[in-house]
Amino acid sequence: MKKHLVLIAFVLGFIPMYAQESTFWGKVNHFLTKPAVVDTANILQRPASFSLGLFTTGQKAGFDVDVNFGIDMFDFGWFSGVSEYSLSENICTKIGLEAGYGNVSLGYGIEVGPKSAWKKSALAFNILGKSWGVHLNYFKISNQFKSSLTIGTEGNEGYMHYDTIADELAVLRNFTIDGYYVFNNKRFAYPAAYKMSLIQRHTAGSWMLTARYMQGSLYNSPEASMDSYNMVDCFNMMQASIGGGYSVNFVLWHKDPVGPRSEGLRNLTVNLTAMPMITVFNYLKTTTYQYNEDGQYSGEKVSKVLCYPMPNYIGSAAASLILGRVYLSAQFTYNWFYFRSNDAFNEKHLDIPEYLDDLSYRGAFHDWMLKGLLVYKL
């Protein structure tokens, strides 16, 4: 971890030192430090400088899906059934350090406490600007796969229910990239509650546009599926969504600085953002494994369909407190990627018994994160 901190300090220190001696680094420094075009009556900007901070996060990601079907139980008649799948991590807690200069910051964290999953890797990159921004997020979770099968209604004749937890690890992957645009970007500072480069002086809000691409998959091995009651063994999903919403900064307390080092600066801001979206492209690929009479894996069948357009959601809330050169922030983000279809499977391409019919599908990738941040501006 020390090597990472030394590298961050070197990079951030190198840029301003050589900004005047190199045209390239001069342009980089200009990008990092250039003032935003804002209405100064509503937004306060402080000169670019170094900052150091501590952060802690708690987050959880997962995937849930229900496969609904009808089944002919012969002597008992026709019953409805549902096969449920779930793979998620426990709450993942991290602590770390963050260093920044101007409009850019870098952080490095380590997981603490109980392990959130057997294996996990994650990568995130954010550009949070007053006019536009981009979020890129990737995670991979390897954990035990939970499934259940329910037929009929509890208490009635023919009712059955089974729960299984696979010994083998299943793998959940998710890649997301989304961006936003702020219309009222001269009077409204969207990043104010998330980082300290811009400060909202008076309560303001703005309509926003957003777009998102998501690609996710759940892989379950043939060995893990063999002893389970899975209707479907693997899922792959691609979504493209567009939408918009509203974001507002409520300024509960503000005092302008009275000195060159932000003496007397006080600010308490709360941000609320809601951006619903419509999925305009919703592609689903499902795989079922086949086994021979000896219970050995013998192949697989694949179904590829386009699902219905569905609503998805991006929501966030944050509160920040500034006391001179000290910045504290609490942030919460929530993402929901929903998909559903009554024609979710091409049954001709799957290993579906003849006594099953009326298959439909609904599921979601979901994740949330709570972050606490303490920063000192040098």
Side-chain angles (χ1 to χ4, degrees):
M1 183 172 179
K2 292 181 179 179
K3 292 182 179 179
H4 288 85
L5 297 177
V6 171
L7 178 61
I8 291 172
F10 175 77
V11 172
L12 294 174
F14 182 83
I15 292 172
M17 182 183 303
Y18 289 92
Q20 304 302 323
E21 299 180 10
S22 168
T23 301
F24 172 76
W25 289 111
K27 292 180 180 179
V28 172
N29 186 62
H30 177 69
F31 171 78
L32 296 176
T33 62
K34 66 179 180 180
V37 180
V38 298
D39 180 354
T40 56
N42 286 275
I43 299 175
L44 172 67
Q45 297 182 78
R46 290 192 285 183
S49 65
F50 289 102
S51 62
L52 295 174
L54 301 172
F55 69 86
T56 181
T57 61
Q59 60 191 94
K60 186 174 182 178
F63 173 79
D64 298 293
V65 59
D66 297 343
V67 178
N68 296 276
F69 58 91
I71 180 171
D72 185 358
M73 298 288 287
F74 304 108
D75 294 339
F76 295 102
W78 187 264
F79 287 83
S80 62
V82 59
S83 181
E84 299 176 294
Y85 309 82
S86 177
L87 192 151
S88 64
E89 62 177 337
N90 298 318
I91 295 178
C92 176
T93 305
K94 290 183 178 182
I95 59 172
L97 298 177
E98 184 172 291
Y101 178 74
N103 298 320
V104 174
S105 61
L106 300 172
Y108 179 78
I110 57 173
E111 188 171 348
V112 295
K115 292 183 63 175
S116 60
W118 285 93
K119 296 179 182 179
K120 179 181 178 179
S121 56
L123 174 67
F125 174 78
N126 299 306
I127 298 177
L128 198 65
K130 73 174 188 69
S131 300
W132 61 273
V134 176
H135 306 279
L136 184 151
N137 187 62
Y138 170 80
F139 65 79
K140 176 183 176 182
I141 298 171
S142 298
N143 220 356
Q144 288 181 304
F145 182 67
K146 301 177 182 178
S147 63
S148 67
L149 177 66
T150 303
I151 297 175
T153 304
E154 187 174 3
N156 293 340
E157 189 177 17
Y159 172 77
M160 292 185 292
H161 178 82
Y162 305 95
D163 292 306
T164 59
I165 299 178
D167 293 330
E168 300 282 339
L169 298 182
V171 180
L172 179 67
R173 292 182 175 88
N174 183 277
F175 170 78
T176 306
I177 181 169
D178 61 71
Y180 67 83
Y181 177 78
V182 180
F183 287 99
N184 187 23
N185 53 68
K186 292 186 178 180
R187 296 180 176 85
F188 170 67
Y190 174 68
Y194 298 90
K195 63 180 187 178
M196 59 191 304
S197 58
L198 296 173
I199 301 170
Q200 190 80 50
R201 277 182 160 138
H202 304 289
T203 297
S206 176
W207 293 102
M208 302 175 68
L209 286 178
T210 185
R212 160 174 288 178
Y213 173 79
M214 185 278 289
Q215 184 170 339
S217 66
L218 174 64
Y219 173 76
N220 204 22
S221 70
E223 293 76 16
S225 296
M226 184 168 55
D227 297 324
S228 68
Y229 295 95
N230 298 347
M231 292 287 296
V232 179
D233 298 300
C234 299
F235 300 85
N236 288 271
M237 173 64 64
M238 289 189 293
Q239 287 189 347
S241 307
I242 57 174
Y246 197 80
S247 181
V248 60
N249 284 334
F250 296 101
V251 180
L252 306 180
W253 183 32
H254 180 80
K255 290 185 178 180
D256 283 334
V258 294
R261 293 184 56 82
S262 300
E263 294 91 336
L265 176 61
R266 302 289 186 267
N267 184 275
L268 177 60
T269 298
V270 175
N271 174 267
L272 296 176
T273 302
M275 289 193 284
M277 297 181 296
I278 295 294
T279 301
V280 294
F281 176 75
N282 200 351
Y283 170 81
L284 172 67
K285 173 184 174 183
T286 52
T287 302
T288 59
Y289 295 131
Q290 296 177 291
Y291 302 90
N292 59 27
E293 295 179 354
D294 297 326
Q296 300 297 315
Y297 170 74
S298 60
E300 60 188 41
K301 289 189 176 182
V302 176
S303 169
K304 301 177 182 179
V305 295
L306 291 176
C307 297
Y308 300 141
M310 293 300 300
N312 286 319
Y313 308 96
I314 300 176
S316 64
S320 65
L321 174 65
I322 300 176
L323 302 172
R325 305 179 75 81
V326 177
Y327 175 86
L328 298 97
S329 177
Q331 307 165 15
F332 177 77
T333 57
Y334 179 76
N335 296 284
W336 183 269
F337 313 91
Y338 185 63
F339 27 87
R340 178 178 180 176
S341 177
N342 291 333
D343 300 311
F345 305 103
N346 187 335
E347 298 179 24
K348 295 179 180 179
H349 295 166
L350 294 181
D351 192 19
I352 305 296
E354 293 182 357
Y355 52 81
L356 295 180
D357 200 1
D358 297 332
L359 273 73
S360 64
Y361 170 94
R362 63 179 181 180
F365 285 89
H366 48 84
D367 68 87
W368 61 264
M369 183 180 72
L370 180 64
K371 180 179 181 179
L373 179 63
L374 171 63
V375 177
Y376 182 76
K377 191 175 179 67
L378 302 177

